[in-house]
Amino acid sequence: MSKEEKKVNRRDFLYTASYTVGAVGVGAVVWPLIDQMNPDKAQKALATTEVDISNIEPGKEITVLWRGKPVFLKRRTPEEIAEARSVSLDDLPDPQKDEERVIEGKDEWLVMLGVCTHLGCVPLKNKGDFKGWFCPCHGSHYDVSGRIRKGPAPKNMEIPKFEFVDNNTIKIG
Amino acid sequence: MSDHEYKPKSKAGKWFNDRLPLLTLGAHLTDYPTPKNLNYWWTFGGILTFCLLTQIITGVVLAMHYVAHADLAFASVEHIMRDVNYGWLIRYIHSNGASMFFLAVYIHIFRSLFYGSYKSPREVIWIIGLLIYLLMMAAAFMGYVLPWGQMSFWGATVITNLFSAIPLVGESITTWLWGAYSVDNPTLNRFFSLHYLIPFLILGLVVLHIWALHVPGNNNPVGIDIKKPSKDTVPFHPYITIKDAFALLMFMIVFAGFVFFTPNVLGHSDNYIPANPLVTPAHIVPEWYLLPFYAILRSVPDKLGGVILMFGAIFILFVLPWLDTSKVRSAVFRPLYRQFYWIFVIDVLMLGYIGAMPAEGIYLVLARVGTIYYFLHFIVVLPVVGLLEKTEPIPMSISDPVLSSGAEPSLAKKDNVKI
């Protein structure tokens, strides 16, 4: 084969075109097979939960199920709020002010996913070194604002999207 | 690969073999020349084949009665235990069979580590074996989720959350694995599907594992290359088949002991409580065969770091053949490696013990020491010892050490004639 024949010819074009079309075809088949594993419409339909909070006394906490996960609703006492706000941000592995974790004017209501940010266990309330929550699985301590203070969890417990429908009802999601 | 031309005796056999040489394959497997000095540590390949077939057969039967739905799974397992004829027996064989499978595979792996079976030219056998081991762990984990008890649910939650440690895409991957926003019915359903699939993938890899083994032939306790066939080998059948059968019988006694006398001792009582997404059991512990890796995970005070080290502990085994610099295979002739080998065995057992203990105080310290040593063994000890060690003299053939240690040479000679 001489050197001149190395230039692009019809056959090279056909190879490239066939491989390209083939790759697009394989991709088009593979994607539905992968995406079918993502949450389906029935799962997404469960995306909001409304909770009646009229019976919760200050200092009490309830747990509700939202999207298969527990959500902690805690009505905090003024002392607890004061304590959460007295913490220096330098002491927090995942610095976040308590004010950023509640809705302004509704500061007594802490609404957060009751899921440890380490590996997803449900922390126990009123336990641990910081009067908040303690995860028994791998020993993460959270404070009264649900912020990580000690242990392997990397983040504060997540605050889901929520709003007050009226004074006695919270809509999560 | 066949060293001889096999000729079926019957006309029908010849007709068939010309079209599909299954009989030639059979003859190859029967005559396969095997080192004559294989000890009982070499019988675990056969035992593992038995374990795999036991899991497949009992599993297919259980799937006839089990219902993979979050609302029905727990009750259907109790239905198997109480109503299905011999359901209790079949389920206990299947659940204890998983533990027996891992017991055998760990002995098989540590045998390979002692006698250097992973070294050239057997690296591919080793790597296929590790792939089988990975699939075994996946199958065991998903199988444990199916009864949908508390340990099932929370074990699944913790293990799938490991993937959330991956930066950026971690959360999406976890949701994708779940098919929901937490471990839920879609998760259970897909785990059942995959749990049924994986054993057949393992079966395929086992065929490749044995195929790759039959290219160089077995390693042996002396660890030297031998000529095949020669006075150093015996045909696989009947010599190895009968030895394997005897070892299998002993193994089955232990197996039956668990199934009939303490069928729940390796499980957790929490798994007889139906799954509850609102309450995590006080002590989440994986099954015993995953404990060393669990200890490594917990020893690191950082989520991503723990996950990386845990997977690293398994994946470092894939490069083991290239980390070990010694040309001598068997630890029998490696006085230094022999000692480090046993330290490593103790280290892994210690990590396993710590994995079952709470992650605090002295256990946390020991877990960290154990984890560091685990990696040191592969990254430092193996390469360095291989270079520094003065190995003991290696025999020229398998017959050599036998004959020089006072055995009757004439007897050995007679044996060879028979072969």
Side-chain angles (χ1 to χ4, degrees):
Chain A
M1 197 193 277
S2 71
K3 283 218 168 92
E4 287 86 348
E5 279 174 303
K6 277 212 153 177
K7 66 179 199 268
V8 178
N9 56 30
R10 246 165 69 94
R11 179 146 302 180
D12 290 329
F13 173 77
L14 284 173
Y15 276 142
T16 310
S18 317
Y19 284 136
T20 310
V21 172
V24 171
V26 168
V29 172
V30 165
W31 177 245
L33 289 174
I34 293 173
D35 191 43
Q36 54 83 22
M37 280 176 68
N38 274 316
D40 56 28
K41 292 190 180 69
Q43 289 292 333
K44 286 179 179 157
L46 301 171
T48 61
T49 302
E50 290 200 1
V51 190
D52 178 12
I53 54 169
S54 55
N55 291 328
I56 306 172
E57 302 290 326
K60 294 289 179 210
E61 176 190 341
I62 65 162
T63 305
V64 295
L65 209 56
W66 172 66
R67 282 181 164 184
K69 283 177 177 166
V71 174
F72 296 157
L73 279 91
K74 188 177 169 78
R75 186 170 183 183
R76 300 181 298 175
T77 58
E79 298 85 63
E80 284 171 332
I81 297 171
E83 168 159 352
R85 296 189 174 176
S86 66
V87 178
S88 158
L89 284 188
D90 298 336
D91 295 338
L92 299 172
D94 179 17
Q96 193 179 22
K97 283 187 185 162
D98 182 65
E99 287 87 336
E100 296 165 28
R101 296 175 60 77
V102 291
I103 290 177
E104 211 181 331
K106 299 275 188 186
D107 302 41
E108 58 177 356
W109 292 101
L110 180 65
V111 179
M112 67 181 178
L113 281 187
V115 175
C116 180
T117 55
H118 183 223
L119 295 174
C121 296
V122 179
L124 305 167
K125 59 182 163 189
N126 299 325
K127 283 233 169 68
D129 298 352
F130 300 91
K131 296 178 196 160
W133 289 265
F134 172 70
C135 182
C137 289
H138 308 95
S140 294
H141 300 254
Y142 296 88
D143 65 14
V144 279
S145 189
R147 293 173 296 194
I148 180 66
R149 299 298 290 272
K150 200 171 120 185
K155 290 202 181 101
N156 304 331
M157 279 196 265
E158 194 185 328
I159 306 291
K161 215 178 97 191
F162 72 97
E163 62 188 30
F164 286 82
V165 179
D166 53 52
N167 274 336
N168 289 328
T169 315
I170 288 178
K171 190 171 103 180
I172 307 167
Chain B
M1 193 169 50
S2 178
D3 308 321
H4 57 92
E5 271 307 309
Y6 173 75
K7 294 255 188 312
K9 288 193 187 75
S10 72
K11 230 177 157 187
K14 191 174 178 321
W15 180 89
F16 181 81
N17 204 48
D18 285 344
R19 282 151 184 83
L20 178 67
L22 265 190
L23 297 171
T24 304
L25 178 65
H28 162 78
L29 293 175
T30 325
D31 301 342
Y32 171 63
T34 319
K36 67 180 181 182
N37 61 339
L38 295 190
N39 56 34
Y40 275 106
W41 300 114
W42 259 265
T43 58
F44 283 87
I47 287 171
L48 284 161
T49 312
F50 165 81
C51 287
L52 177 61
L53 294 179
T54 305
Q55 292 306 87
I56 289 179
I57 293 166
T58 52
V60 167
V61 171
L62 288 170
M64 294 179 187
H65 305 279
Y66 171 78
V67 186
H69 189 281
D71 298 336
L72 304 170
F74 189 87
S76 79
V77 171
E78 285 310 300
H79 159 75
I80 288 169
M81 295 300 287
R82 292 152 195 248
D83 305 338
V84 175
N85 301 330
Y86 295 104
W88 60 273
L89 177 64
I90 294 158
R91 174 163 176 261
Y92 277 153
I93 291 175
H94 196 73
S95 59
N96 284 285
S99 282
M100 293 298 115
F101 206 158
F102 275 96
L103 175 67
V105 93
Y106 282 128
I107 295 174
H108 195 62
I109 291 172
F110 276 100
R111 188 269 291 154
S112 180
L113 292 179
F114 188 83
Y115 294 110
S117 303
Y118 50 85
K119 291 191 203 186
S120 173
R122 296 184 181 81
E123 302 94 323
V124 172
I125 312 175
W126 170 253
I127 288 169
I128 294 171
L130 287 174
L131 291 175
I132 294 172
Y133 175 53
L134 279 179
L135 284 180
M136 277 174 64
M137 290 197 279
F141 158 64
M142 292 188 196
Y144 195 60
V145 174
L146 301 184
W148 211 239
Q150 273 290 66
M151 278 293 176
S152 300
F153 184 90
W154 291 102
T157 299
V158 168
I159 300 292
T160 49
N161 262 307
L162 292 178
F163 294 94
S164 72
I166 302 169
L168 302 177
V169 290
E171 294 293 333
S172 319
I173 289 178
T174 317
T175 308
W176 177 72
L177 288 172
W178 289 336
Y181 300 101
S182 62
V183 173
D184 210 333
N185 188 51
T187 325
L188 175 62
N189 227 313
R190 65 191 52 181
F191 277 16
F192 179 59
S193 169
L194 296 172
H195 182 72
Y196 208 120
L197 166 72
I198 290 173
F200 297 98
L201 298 181
I202 293 178
L203 192 61
L205 283 175
V206 166
V207 172
L208 293 183
H209 195 60
I210 296 172
W211 185 2
L213 168 69
H214 280 230
V215 176
N218 288 71
N219 184 28
N220 64 79
V222 183
I224 54 171
D225 290 323
I226 50 169
K227 263 174 66 187
K228 296 168 293 262
S230 71
K231 66 189 172 68
D232 279 345
T233 67
V234 290
F236 189 77
H237 181 75
Y239 293 91
I240 303 299
T241 42
I242 197 70
K243 188 166 185 159
D244 275 1
F246 178 71
L248 178 60
L249 215 61
M250 294 297 116
F251 184 79
M252 282 160 85
I253 291 173
V254 177
F255 195 150
F258 277 106
V259 169
F260 290 104
F261 293 102
T262 58
N264 287 310
V265 74
L266 297 169
H268 301 285
S269 49
D270 272 318
N271 220 28
Y272 283 99
I273 302 168
N276 179 358
L278 292 179
V279 181
T280 307
H283 293 287
I284 294 199
V285 192
E287 293 286 80
W288 67 267
Y289 38 81
L290 302 175
L291 286 174
F293 302 111
Y294 193 61
I296 291 175
L297 168 76
R298 293 194 307 181
S299 72
V300 186
D302 177 76
K303 183 171 169 180
L304 181 61
V307 173
I308 288 173
L309 278 203
M310 186 186 73
F311 283 110
I314 299 168
F315 284 106
I316 200 166
L317 293 168
F318 281 87
V319 289
L320 170 62
W322 295 276
L323 290 173
D324 187 344
T325 49
S326 175
K327 293 275 175 283
V328 176
R329 288 196 196 101
S330 175
V332 171
F333 305 106
R334 300 184 59 190
L336 216 52
Y337 171 71
R338 209 156 58 214
Q339 294 170 36
F340 282 110
Y341 171 84
W342 288 111
I343 295 174
F344 180 69
V345 171
I346 292 166
D347 186 55
V348 172
L349 290 176
M350 181 186 83
L351 282 173
Y353 173 74
I354 293 166
M357 295 292 128
E360 57 198 26
I362 181 73
Y363 295 121
L364 199 54
V365 178
L366 285 176
R368 285 177 183 162
V369 172
T371 300
I372 291 167
Y373 187 78
Y374 183 97
F375 285 98
L376 278 184
H377 177 81
F378 290 106
I379 296 167
V380 178
V381 172
L382 283 181
V384 173
V385 164
L387 296 175
L388 298 183
E389 186 176 47
K390 190 172 171 348
T391 52
E392 287 157 8
I394 295 164
M396 296 302 291
S397 77
I398 291 174
S399 305
D400 235 20
V402 176
L403 295 182
S404 56
S405 67
E408 184 59 56
S410 61
L411 262 181
K413 213 165 191 181
K414 237 191 243 166
D415 272 354
N416 294 337
V417 174
K418 238 191 283 173
I419 296 156

